[in-house]
């Protein structure tokens, strides 16, 4: 139940920011956002979720979902997919929180595995900390 609540919180954060999506703010460098997202996925694939969680997530995000709950969700999605093969597509867009006006950069990463694909949606704040994370 706690896992579902944490996932719900992340989805709510993403949806609240989705009100004003589109062009990437000048506060971000598209290449830096892409590289940061790919690095997060690479670390997760290497079994280093705790490093990502502790060093890359904003305090708001770590307060909304526990590491163990996030690990369970990631395992649920990735365990059946086999070994990571490649990044199929990475799309970067800008999002502005409609309530606060805060700018975010969101990377949608399509990752290919032996037995299928996974999609990571990772949002970064202007400090390049992960402010939103979703995997399916």
């Amino acid at each position: 139940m706690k896992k579902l609540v944490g996932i719900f919180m992340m989805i709510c954060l993403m949806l609240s920011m989705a009100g004003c999506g589109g062009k990437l703010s000048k506060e971000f460098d598209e290449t830096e956002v892409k590289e940061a997202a790919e690095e997060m996925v690479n670390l997760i694939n290497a079994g280093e979720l705790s490093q990502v969680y502790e060093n890359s997530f904003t305090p708001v995000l770590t307060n909304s979902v526990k590491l163990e709950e996030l690990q369970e969700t990631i395992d649920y999605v990735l365990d059946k997919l086999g070994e990571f093969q490649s990044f199929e597509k990475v799309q970067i867009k800008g999002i502005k929180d409609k309530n606060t006006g805060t700018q975010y950069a969101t990377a949608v990463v399509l990752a290919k595995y032996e037995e299928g694909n996974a999609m990571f949606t990772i949002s970064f704040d202007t400090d390049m900390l992960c402010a939103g994370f979703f995997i399916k």
Side-chain angles (χ1 to χ4, degrees), residues 17 28 32-38 40 56 58 92 95 102-107 122-132:
M17 293 187 303
F28 296 96
E32 182 182 8
V33 173
K34 179 181 177 191
E35 289 173 355
E38 288 178 347
M40 283 182 68
S56 301
T58 63
I92 309 297
I95 292 180
T102 304
Q103 294 286 342
Y104 295 92
T106 297
I122 305 167
S123 293
F124 296 95
D125 65 12
T126 53
D127 294 323
M128 290 304 294
L129 292 174
C130 180

Side-chain angles (χ1 to χ4, degrees), residues 7 9 11 55 61 68 71 85 88 93-94 98 106 123:
I7 293 168
M9 294 291 289
I11 292 170
N55 299 328
L61 196 52
E68 297 78 19
Q71 185 68 63
Q85 301 292 307
E88 291 292 294
K93 65 180 179 177
K98 63 183 177 181
T106 297
S123 293

